[in-house]
Structures are given as C-alpha cells and as structure tokens.
Amino acid sequence: MAKVKVTQIKSKCGSTKRQIANLVSLGIHRMHQSVEIELTPVSAGMIEKVRHLVKVEEI
C-alpha cells in the first residue's frame, strides 16, 4: 500500500461531530499536525470526508 502524509490546514471549529471524529481517527488532534498513514480504502474514505480541512501528500 502507498503511504500518504496528511496535514490539517484548516480549523475544525464549525465542523460536524462526524468530521471531527474522522480527524481523531486519522490521528490528527491540532492545526498543522502531520501524520503518515497507509492509504487503505478505509483511510481514503476518512480523508475524503475531511478533504476541505486537510492537505494530502504522497510519500
């Protein structure tokens, strides 16, 4: 599987509880925090739900 770097670039204030839960599930807890994750169908779906809050880069 490919690895991607996910960085939160916008605040989660004003987001729904489901979007905040997706960020926490990805391992992101604060602004400008980056995490490296395996790009599986599950993680790709979570990223898609919060794509307006994060930046995704391939590693």
Side-chain angles (χ1 to χ4, degrees):
M1 289 280 157
K3 290 196 94 163
V4 292
K5 181 178 178 182
V6 182
T7 306
Q8 183 178 350
I9 57 169
K10 291 182 98 177
S11 175
K12 60 186 172 186
C13 292
S15 299
T16 64
K17 289 181 182 180
R18 179 176 283 183
Q19 291 169 341
I20 294 169
N22 277 326
L23 287 173
V24 172
S25 295
L26 288 169
I28 300 172
H29 299 283
R30 59 185 180 274
M31 287 286 295
H32 306 293
Q33 180 182 3
S34 298
V35 293
E36 295 180 6
I37 57 171
E38 292 282 337
L39 190 59
T40 63
V42 173
S43 61
M46 287 192 285
I47 292 168
E48 185 65 26
K49 294 294 183 185
V50 293
R51 70 180 180 271
H52 58 288
L53 301 175
V54 298
K55 176 176 67 171
V56 181
E57 305 170 14
E58 285 190 36
I59 296 180

